[in-house]
Amino acid sequence: DKDYGQLVSENIFMFKPARLGNGSEVLGVAEICKRWEIERVDQVIDILGLMGDKVDNIPGIPGVGEKTAMQLVKDFGTVENLLQNTDKLKGKLKEKVESNKEKAILSKKLATIICDVPIVFDEGQLLLKEPNKEALREMFTELEFRRLAEQVLGEKIDSETNSEQKNTASSQEKKAKASGQTNMFEEASEVADTKQNLFASNLEEAVLKNFATINTTIHSYHLADTKEKRSALIAVLNQSKSFCFDSETTGLDVFNVEIVGLSFSIKKGEAWYVPVAENQQEAQQIVDEFKELFANEKINKVGQNLKYDISILRNYGIEVKGKMFDTMIAHYILQPDMRHSMDVLSETYLNYAPVSIETLIGPKGKNQQSMRNVSLETIKEYAAEDADVTLQLREVFEPMLEKDTTKKIFDSIEMPLMPILAAMEAEGINLDTAALASFSVELKDELLKVQDEIYKQAGTTFNIASPKQLGEVLFDYLKITDKAKRTKTGQYATGEDVLEKLASANPIVEQILIFRELQKLKNTYVDPLPTMINPRTGKIHTSYNQVVAATGRLSSDKPNLQNIPIRTEKGREVRKAFIARNTDFTILSADYSQIELRIIAELSQDAGMLEAFKNGLDIHSATASKVFNVSLEAVDKEMRRKAKAVNFGISYGQTAYGLSQTLNIPRKEAAEIIDNYFSQYPSIRDLMDTNIEFARTHGYVETMMGRRRYLRDINDKNQTVRAQAERNAINAPIQGSAADMIKVAMINIDKAFKEQQFKSKMLLQVHDELVFDVAKDELEAIKPLILENMKSALILPNDVPADAELGSGDNWLLAH
């Protein structure tokens, strides 16, 4: 620790561990004096007293950084001598020191390590003694610290829980063997005993957690590894009203993996595994045997993360039809804020720990093996268990959906949307790589120009991308503010939010913000996007997540196409690179107009906002007119900007402080704007209060269609925690209703496209916007179809028009 420099002497040294590739160091008096440019090591205290240390809660003198503190100590020797000679200082530094004399004295006192604390030293207390093994054994047994017991006591312990679990397992094994069950392939019922345990490590961990496992549960998992066995399996599945299925693959990238096997289950405790050949031709033949089964619309299909499985089968020319039940999505509807992986769901709802994938192929990383390398017996047990467990989860979740009245969301929105998203992902979007390459060169040239300007204004060169170096230049060297913020590590805060507020303090700040924008565009979008083109399809393929955002909104990743910049002119240029598939097609963008505000008007039934929308007024100008008490014609750009910030911030429960930060205005002015807003739109305040009160009473809030967001912290005693839950109570019904609306629009548009057999395709969903690749000869027919389906997706009863804007062009930017 740098504070310890004051303790160094001829006989005491400071050890600095190796870090960031540098070797360790041993620092003596000479090294400490050189580091701080001082004559005596005790002057470290004076430097720390002047510069302060937020981590140690030492205030120091505001505006005095490390370099200034070192110079002052070099000039005056001590804090006390400095304070006696402030007449020798000049300008702002003199003001800072003279107005903070008491802080300087206090800070030096706080920075001083007291070395004469009366401690009695008894070296006998350092001698290693024999532990109380009986007490430890009792404690380790009670707490089930088996591994610690082996390490400390050198012996194994057997907890009561462990013994009970083993007895239960043994009893179940005996029952299984005594039952004499046989399966359709004339194999004995398979319950692995401890001698032939395939998943020992999995069992040990589960036993400690009191979970049942594949080794302690009666099950009958079969191998369908011949054409005859597969035919028999297909016959059984064809007679079922529904079946659960899962696919095992060589990886997770939908477009670059192969099927290793398929598993099926139709009742608890029984499942089948179908290995698929590595040879591509043989694999296709095996998968084709199940083509009619998957296409049978009378049979319901069950799975966990079904979008992945139907996408994999799509690569083999198999279309999965019929009603579907995805356990991952079902749980998301029931508990949107929880995790939804099969392992977590199984442990939570079935008290059963499935075999982990790491047991088969090792931990994630470059050394992880392929499923191709796993023995047939092992993968059979693992894969069949997945189908079995997922089927059991369906039996748990379906009645829960009925009970919570959320089945409507599941049946009419989320499940119909899932295959549509899979189709959009498979379609992908065309990318103009030449345009991106040209833009990259342009950005590089601009970055160099801005960099030179920053160096010129700073009067020195430094790494602009380094927060540490940037902070030192801005706040120690240029001293652009006396109130520089620091991070938890004591480093100057140089985040975008911090710099935006300081933009008027010095022209260099604006240049740094420009530099960051250009660098982010180049490094995050322009250069990486071409590398993400799939070589097989020649397109970019994103992946949509239905179970991430608790509000119901979709998210996108690998790459995240919902995050393509739109706020700045340079950022919008990236959209130019997203183009139609060929010259016979065009990009069409359909964007909801202020849909969340329209939903607020509907839910609140506020007369002022309803009137503005019914009359087709610009809502932000109409709001500005009311809030600033001027005519509509007198509203200027600044008024509209502030009104827009309030309109959008209000749905997130934004406070006066939040608005002041957004608009960079005094908190008092922000509070006045919000007060005026609620005086003009009183029903919106009532809506917010009603949502919070409903959440406090019921523990959740709902969208217009009944999607729920549970808020367990709504009555928390901690005000900060409770306030966040209250903001969610305000926002979730609004944002969730908007999310439901565009999802319904997508389902209806997809249905209309199929009915009319359009060549055009839906490509992207970006929150309130849909992007299409439209055949030019279908454009005029498609425009009104899309517009009508977006407007009618969710009827707003109070005559609030749900408006959408359409645009088309050769690329996404021109269409938007």
Side-chain angles (χ1 to χ4, degrees):
D1 192 295
K2 65 179 184 297
D3 301 14
Y4 293 159
Q6 62 189 273
L7 303 177
V8 170
S9 70
E10 295 303 321
N11 301 310
I12 299 173
F13 299 86
M14 192 160 79
F15 178 77
K16 189 175 181 181
R19 183 172 174 269
L20 299 176
N22 299 317
S24 60
E25 299 176 66
V26 175
L27 309 177
V29 173
E31 289 80 11
I32 293 296
C33 289
K34 182 180 179 183
R35 158 68 179 88
W36 295 103
E37 298 177 17
I38 51 180
E39 296 178 358
R40 310 180 312 276
V41 294
D42 63 281
Q43 289 177 308
V44 169
I45 304 170
D46 295 280
I47 291 175
L48 295 174
L50 291 171
M51 64 184 277
D53 190 335
K54 276 202 173 183
V55 176
D56 291 339
N57 208 19
I58 299 173
I61 295 179
V64 172
E66 182 181 308
K67 290 182 180 179
T68 305
M70 288 167 61
Q71 186 61 49
L72 289 172
V73 172
K74 186 184 291 185
D75 294 341
F76 297 96
T78 65
V79 168
E80 292 80 4
N81 193 40
L82 166 68
L83 299 180
Q84 290 172 9
N85 293 277
T86 56
D87 57 309
K88 296 177 181 178
L89 301 175
K90 295 179 181 179
K92 284 191 175 182
L93 182 59
K94 181 180 180 181
E95 292 176 24
K96 291 173 187 175
V97 174
E98 288 183 337
S99 59
N100 289 283
K101 287 185 177 183
E102 290 182 5
K103 276 188 179 180
I105 295 296
L106 172 64
S107 297
K108 181 171 180 178
K109 184 179 179 181
L110 291 172
T112 303
I113 298 174
I114 299 172
C115 298
D116 56 355
V117 178
I119 297 175
V120 178
F121 177 61
D122 178 8
E123 65 270 24
Q125 292 182 340
L126 302 179
L127 292 171
L128 183 65
K129 297 176 183 177
E130 191 68 21
N132 184 337
K133 289 192 174 183
E134 286 304 314
L136 279 175
R137 186 179 292 108
E138 185 178 336
M139 184 187 294
F140 288 159
T141 301
E142 179 187 350
L143 300 176
E144 300 181 19
F145 288 173
R146 301 174 65 197
R147 209 160 283 168
L148 265 179
E150 288 187 45
Q151 292 171 348
V152 177
L153 303 177
E155 60 186 72
K156 293 186 177 182
I157 60 167
D158 199 9
S159 67
E160 292 179 16
T161 305
N162 197 0
S163 301
E164 287 176 14
Q165 194 77 27
K166 285 183 176 178
N167 291 337
T168 302
S170 176
S171 172
Q172 287 176 326
E173 287 175 23
K174 288 174 183 175
K175 286 179 183 177
K177 290 173 182 175
S179 69
Q181 291 175 320
T182 58
N183 61 43
M184 60 181 282
F185 303 129
E186 298 180 357
E187 296 170 355
S189 177
E190 302 163 45
V191 180
D193 60 29
T194 52
K195 291 180 182 178
Q196 297 176 324
N197 180 15
L198 296 170
F199 311 107
S201 59
N202 195 73
L203 172 64
E204 182 178 339
E205 187 179 346
V207 164
L208 291 173
K209 294 179 180 177
N210 282 328
F211 292 135
T213 70
I214 195 169
N215 297 292
T216 64
T217 305
I218 298 173
H219 62 274
S220 187
Y221 296 161
H222 322 298
L223 188 65
D225 57 347
T226 67
K227 187 171 178 58
E228 291 72 26
K229 289 180 180 179
R230 291 194 294 269
S231 296
L233 169 60
I234 291 168
V236 170
L237 297 175
N238 266 319
Q239 295 302 311
S240 305
K241 291 182 179 179
S242 70
F243 64 79
C244 179
F245 79 98
D246 186 36
S247 61
E248 300 302 331
T249 58
T250 53
L252 296 176
D253 184 348
V254 169
F255 297 100
N256 294 296
V257 297
E258 300 170 357
I259 294 180
V260 176
L262 298 169
S263 56
F264 299 88
S265 180
I266 55 174
K267 68 178 181 179
K268 178 181 177 180
E270 186 169 21
W272 293 263
Y273 178 66
V274 180
V276 174
E278 188 169 354
N279 177 276
Q280 193 172 357
Q281 188 175 352
E282 290 179 38
Q284 187 65 56
Q285 290 172 353
I286 292 171
V287 175
D288 279 344
E289 292 174 22
F290 294 83
K291 190 167 188 174
E292 290 185 13
L293 174 72
F294 281 118
N296 191 333
E297 296 187 35
K298 295 179 181 178
I299 304 175
N300 295 347
K301 319 298 188 300
V302 181
Q304 166 82 8
N305 191 12
L306 271 173
K307 179 160 70 68
Y308 178 83
D309 297 301
I310 66 175
S311 297
I312 292 296
L313 289 170
R314 178 192 290 270
N315 293 341
Y316 286 77
I318 306 292
E319 187 175 359
V320 181
K321 296 181 179 180
K323 193 174 180 181
M324 299 187 206
F325 191 104
D326 190 321
T327 51
M328 181 177 74
I329 294 175
H331 187 256
Y332 166 72
I333 296 294
L334 292 165
Q335 296 290 346
D337 286 291
M338 286 180 65
R339 292 163 58 200
H340 315 292
S341 70
M342 192 196 76
D343 289 359
V344 170
L345 299 183
S346 179
E347 291 176 1
T348 305
Y349 294 93
L350 304 178
N351 199 40
Y352 180 96
V355 176
S356 68
I357 186 68
E358 287 80 10
T359 305
L360 276 71
I361 59 176
K364 290 180 180 178
K366 63 180 181 180
N367 295 324
Q368 192 174 56
Q369 298 180 42
S370 167
M371 290 292 275
R372 291 271 189 219
N373 300 329
V374 180
S375 71
L376 193 55
E377 177 62 22
T378 303
I379 197 171
K380 182 255 297 185
E381 290 286 291
Y382 168 82
E385 181 193 55
D386 277 0
D388 179 15
V389 167
T390 301
L391 186 79
Q392 293 180 53
L393 287 172
R394 184 260 181 97
E395 293 169 359
V396 172
F397 293 153
E398 193 159 32
M400 289 174 71
L401 289 168
E402 296 279 8
K403 183 181 177 183
D404 277 2
T405 66
T406 49
K407 199 161 189 295
K408 179 184 177 184
I409 291 284
F410 182 76
D411 286 338
S412 64
I413 297 182
E414 297 299 345
M415 290 316 301
L417 182 68
M418 185 265 293
I420 295 171
L421 294 176
M424 290 166 62
E425 292 172 3
E427 183 65 29
I429 187 166
N430 210 7
L431 200 67
D432 187 344
T433 54
L436 284 177
S438 174
F439 191 29
S440 179
V441 172
E442 181 184 328
L443 289 174
K444 183 179 179 181
D445 292 341
E446 288 195 43
L447 275 166
L448 290 173
K449 288 178 184 176
V450 177
Q451 177 180 271
D452 289 343
E453 183 61 30
I454 291 170
Y455 290 160
K456 181 181 175 182
Q457 293 183 22
T460 184
T461 60
F462 63 99
N463 183 358
I464 303 170
S466 165
K468 183 176 184 298
Q469 292 185 35
L470 177 62
E472 289 171 352
V473 169
L474 292 179
F475 306 120
D476 288 339
Y477 186 67
L478 294 177
K479 301 185 187 305
I480 67 170
T481 180
D482 296 337
K483 300 176 181 178
K485 292 184 178 180
R486 291 183 183 267
T487 63
K488 290 180 180 179
T489 61
Q491 187 173 290
Y492 285 118
T494 58
E496 188 175 343
D497 56 332
V498 173
L499 295 185
E500 282 181 346
K501 291 167 193 167
L502 296 171
S504 59
N506 192 304
I508 194 174
V509 178
E510 186 64 34
Q511 293 299 312
I512 290 165
L513 289 170
I514 293 171
F515 181 88
R516 283 186 173 177
E517 183 201 353
L518 297 174
Q519 192 173 56
K520 182 179 180 181
L521 282 175
K522 189 174 189 302
N523 296 342
T524 308
Y525 304 106
V526 178
D527 290 346
L529 278 173
T531 68
M532 298 178 183
I533 293 175
N534 185 287
R536 185 170 62 83
T537 65
K539 294 180 178 180
I540 286 274
H541 300 268
T542 188
S543 176
Y544 285 104
N545 304 308
Q546 277 177 273
V547 299
V548 172
T551 55
R553 294 179 82 168
L554 294 173
S555 66
S556 157
D557 63 3
K558 300 175 185 176
N560 181 358
L561 297 185
Q562 292 186 330
N563 211 27
I564 300 297
I566 190 66
R567 287 174 54 195
T568 64
E569 185 179 345
K570 283 291 179 188
R572 286 191 288 272
E573 285 290 306
V574 178
R575 296 193 171 209
K576 266 188 183 177
F578 292 87
I579 58 176
R581 73 181 76 175
N582 58 45
T583 54
D584 293 329
F585 283 73
T586 187
I587 296 293
L588 185 144
S589 167
D591 197 356
Y592 272 123
S593 172
Q594 300 155 345
I595 193 61
E596 290 186 8
L597 290 176
R598 294 171 191 271
I599 288 170
I600 289 174
E602 167 59 35
L603 294 176
S604 68
Q605 298 183 36
D606 187 273
M609 194 166 271
L610 287 171
E611 181 185 9
F613 279 123
K614 287 177 183 177
N615 293 333
L617 300 179
D618 173 69
I619 190 63
H620 303 312
S621 296
T623 299
S625 173
K626 288 180 177 292
V627 169
F628 297 108
N629 194 27
V630 297
S631 67
L632 200 59
E633 294 75 20
V635 172
D636 59 27
K637 286 184 178 180
E638 185 62 17
M639 290 178 183
R640 188 183 184 278
R641 183 178 78 90
K642 291 177 179 178
K644 183 177 180 179
V646 182
N647 272 333
F648 285 122
I650 218 73
S651 65
Y652 292 90
Q654 190 176 51
T655 61
Y657 173 76
L659 183 63
S660 71
Q661 297 297 297
T662 301
L663 295 175
N664 199 17
I665 59 175
R667 190 169 180 173
K668 184 179 179 182
E669 182 184 346
E672 289 174 359
I673 292 174
I674 290 178
D675 288 343
N676 289 343
Y677 184 91
F678 285 130
S679 68
Q680 294 296 327
Y681 299 117
S683 297
I684 294 178
R685 173 82 267 178
D686 294 341
L687 170 67
M688 295 165 69
D689 293 340
T690 301
N691 283 355
I692 292 170
E693 193 54 43
F694 183 92
R696 284 186 180 140
T697 305
H698 298 87
Y700 65 86
V701 287
E702 285 185 329
T703 67
M704 293 173 68
M705 289 196 69
R707 182 188 299 276
R708 291 184 180 180
R709 174 82 188 272
Y710 290 90
L711 302 165
R712 293 171 179 81
D713 299 325
I714 194 69
N715 294 309
D716 198 282
K717 292 178 182 178
N718 184 303
Q719 194 274 334
T720 304
V721 173
R722 187 176 67 252
Q724 179 58 44
E726 289 174 354
R727 286 192 289 272
N728 286 335
I730 295 166
N731 173 252
I734 299 163
Q735 194 176 104
S737 294
D740 291 342
M741 190 168 186
I742 197 162
K743 285 179 176 180
V744 171
M746 292 169 73
I747 293 165
N748 293 341
I749 290 169
D750 180 77
K751 182 182 178 183
F753 272 31
K754 286 176 179 174
E755 286 175 351
Q756 300 192 38
Q757 298 182 334
F758 285 137
K759 301 186 290 289
S760 303
K761 301 288 183 182
M762 185 157 46
L763 303 184
L764 302 176
Q765 191 258 41
V766 184
H767 305 311
D768 298 332
E769 178 186 9
L770 297 176
V771 179
F772 301 84
D773 193 18
V774 177
K776 290 178 179 177
D777 58 359
E778 295 174 348
L779 183 61
E780 295 310 311
I782 279 176
K783 278 183 177 179
L785 183 151
I786 290 174
L787 198 59
E788 180 54 37
N789 278 293
M790 290 184 75
K791 287 182 177 182
S792 63
L794 191 62
I795 300 298
L796 305 178
N798 285 287
D799 297 327
V800 179
D803 203 7
E805 298 169 353
L806 298 181
S808 61
D810 291 338
N811 60 60
W812 188 5
L813 179 62
L814 290 174
H816 185 76

